[in-house]
Amino acid sequence: MKTYTIQPAHRIRTLPKQFFAALVTKANARIAMGRDVINLGQGNPDMPTPPHIVQTLQKAAANPAYHKYPPFRGYPFLKEAVAKRYEEDYGVRLDPAAEVAILFGGKTGLVEISQCLLNPGDVCLVPDPGYPDYWSGVALAEAEMAFMPLTAERKFLPDFSRIDAETLRRAKLMFLNYPNNPTAATATPAFYEETVAFARKHEIVVASDFAYGAIGFDGKRPVSFLETPGAKEVGVEFYTASKTYNMAGWRVGFALGNAAVIEMLNLIQDHYYCSLFGGIQEAAAEALTGSQEPVKELVATYERRRDALYAALERIGWRADKPAGSFFCWLPVPEGYTSESFADLLLEEADVVVAPGNGFGSSGEGYVRLGLLAPEARLEEAAERIGRLGLFRN
């Protein structure tokens, strides 16, 4: 009898491996052995959503109007709320009807934009290291990637002058991400001015991933790409409630900026979804328009954790620059190790999970990423466990 075989489409065959899924599998296997694992390898916020947001959802869930299908493109009140937040925080004015799209989390939009703008054979400029799900969207669009190395010498900002003419001719889209995952670097207004001029000259759409936009340290607020004159002419910015309000599981994100690109994202989502549950939209609007004190407290918590961890790392001789933003730390591996071999050693010998830098791209080799996603005492304990391995010089 002939064997019945289901063949996946080409786009499924060419999807990159899910980097974080493999990381979770390794960590869970160790936990299943009964080990006390300190997991600093993922980007999953560890603190709860502020109570007033939860209470809004609890009340809104009883509203029968929300038990029906919501408007395909979301409720106007949520678009108005994110526009209000951007004007208050960044001085950026947005037309809620034309320049705001509601997303099922920021990740969704970051994958969808490649499908909106790229054809097979087109090129997307991607930061290296960078968030791996940028690659997923490009693969689904059956397009190609050209990597922009991010190096310590350039403060982890790409050097546009290094991109060759043929790549620029074919490039249609570029991802940027500041505060950066994984390097924790921040961008300057001057860099974004350079970016707008570069994008306009080469007719490239900029996709600014601003997921960590609320998290800046030492009294410095991260810069939004949309603050730059001309930014809305050449691109969009992706924002999310996940990090700012500890709402990762709620899946609320936004695309903001160029009206033509926003319309494309809305159109593709018309075919995929029927927007978010109305109660979640109401709670997200409360997060955006209500008291922002929880955000200030959240940033202060991450800064205290950062300072506690780096003091502990200094004690064991592991030295690196403190992050300027995000809740990540980008640390060099000791001599004699690769990113992956060092991450494996920390898991097996210290029960500490970190993300190997090469999982974010070839330029991430030589680093590991740690998340500030545990209380200060656990971060200090993680550093002490690593210190007992005797890999660093005090």
Side-chain angles (χ1 to χ4, degrees):
M1 189 177 197
K2 184 179 178 181
T3 303
Y4 179 69
T5 305
I6 298 174
Q7 295 292 338
H10 175 69
R11 69 182 63 87
I12 295 297
R13 291 181 184 273
T14 57
L15 279 173
K17 290 183 179 179
Q18 239 300 343
F19 168 62
F20 292 106
L23 194 66
V24 169
T25 299
K26 281 185 177 182
N28 287 343
R30 196 75 178 165
I31 293 168
M33 295 168 58
R35 307 293 300 184
D36 176 26
V37 172
I38 302 176
N39 190 345
L40 307 180
Q42 295 170 258
N44 199 354
D46 65 305
M47 291 176 278
T49 305
H52 70 287
I53 302 171
V54 176
Q55 289 162 9
T56 299
L57 173 62
Q58 290 170 332
K59 183 178 179 181
N63 182 350
Y66 294 147
H67 301 170
K68 302 176 181 180
Y69 290 121
F72 266 77
R73 299 186 177 190
Y75 285 100
F77 65 75
L78 180 53
K79 297 181 181 183
E80 291 162 6
V82 74
K84 180 175 184 289
R85 175 55 40 221
Y86 253 68
E87 184 166 9
E88 290 184 6
D89 286 354
Y90 308 108
V92 174
R93 292 191 174 183
L94 295 161
D95 176 353
E99 296 178 334
V100 178
I102 297 171
L103 309 170
F104 279 73
K107 171 179 173 174
T108 300
L110 293 167
V111 172
E112 289 171 341
I113 192 170
S114 290
Q115 296 167 71
C116 291
L117 292 169
L118 299 175
N119 292 312
D122 288 340
V123 167
C124 180
L125 303 176
V126 180
D128 176 15
Y131 181 49
D133 283 328
Y134 304 149
W135 313 343
S136 305
V138 178
L140 287 168
E142 301 183 0
E144 300 173 24
M145 292 188 292
F147 289 100
M148 301 183 293
L150 308 184
T151 63
E153 292 73 24
R154 284 190 51 83
K155 298 183 178 179
F156 300 107
L157 299 172
D159 184 351
F160 298 142
S161 69
R162 293 184 57 185
I163 304 171
D164 65 83
E166 176 60 16
T167 297
L168 289 175
R169 185 187 68 78
R170 297 168 58 206
K172 301 291 179 62
L173 176 65
M174 173 172 61
F175 285 103
L176 295 175
N177 168 219
Y178 297 98
N180 185 257
N181 172 18
T183 71
T186 54
T188 62
F191 169 71
Y192 280 146
E193 289 167 10
E194 179 190 358
T195 299
V196 169
F198 171 79
R200 185 183 287 121
K201 178 180 179 180
H202 297 286
E203 297 185 338
I204 295 169
V205 174
V206 177
S208 167
D209 178 0
F210 202 43
Y212 305 92
I215 307 172
F217 301 132
D218 304 312
K220 296 178 181 178
R221 179 181 60 79
V223 178
S224 163
F225 171 69
L226 294 182
E227 292 181 71
T228 314
K232 283 200 285 186
E233 297 172 29
V234 300
V236 293
E237 187 153 86
F238 292 91
Y239 193 71
T240 172
S242 295
K243 280 74 178 182
T244 306
Y245 303 104
N246 282 333
M247 295 174 68
W250 299 55
R251 310 315 302 140
V252 183
F254 309 94
L256 315 160
N258 184 278
V261 178
I262 295 300
E263 174 57 26
M264 293 177 202
L265 288 165
N266 277 323
L267 180 59
I268 198 170
Q269 292 198 140
D270 285 347
H271 292 271
Y272 279 147
Y273 313 115
C274 189
S275 197
L276 301 168
F277 172 55
I280 287 179
Q281 293 192 51
E282 186 173 322
E286 171 61 26
L288 291 159
T289 60
S291 172
Q292 299 302 295
E293 282 303 313
V295 181
K296 295 176 184 177
E297 293 169 7
L298 181 74
V299 174
T301 296
Y302 285 137
E303 187 161 344
R304 286 193 301 272
R305 290 178 176 185
R306 179 200 68 165
D307 292 345
L309 175 62
Y310 275 74
L313 294 176
E314 180 72 21
R315 289 194 292 272
I316 68 170
W318 195 1
R319 296 177 180 86
D321 292 335
K322 287 183 178 180
S326 83
F327 49 49
F328 294 121
C329 307
W330 192 235
L331 297 162
V333 305
E335 189 175 346
Y337 291 90
T338 65
S339 294
E340 199 154 359
S341 68
F342 183 61
D344 287 343
L345 177 74
L346 296 191
L347 178 59
E348 293 163 10
E349 301 296 331
D351 288 317
V352 174
V353 180
V354 300
N358 65 336
F360 302 92
S362 61
S363 293
E365 181 54 65
Y367 292 88
V368 291
R369 191 195 73 179
L370 279 69
L372 298 169
L373 301 172
E376 289 147 70
R378 286 290 270 178
L379 292 169
E380 290 169 335
E381 182 181 347
E384 289 166 7
R385 291 184 188 182
I386 295 168
R388 288 197 289 269
L389 300 179
L391 300 171
F392 302 96
R393 294 177 181 177
N394 286 313

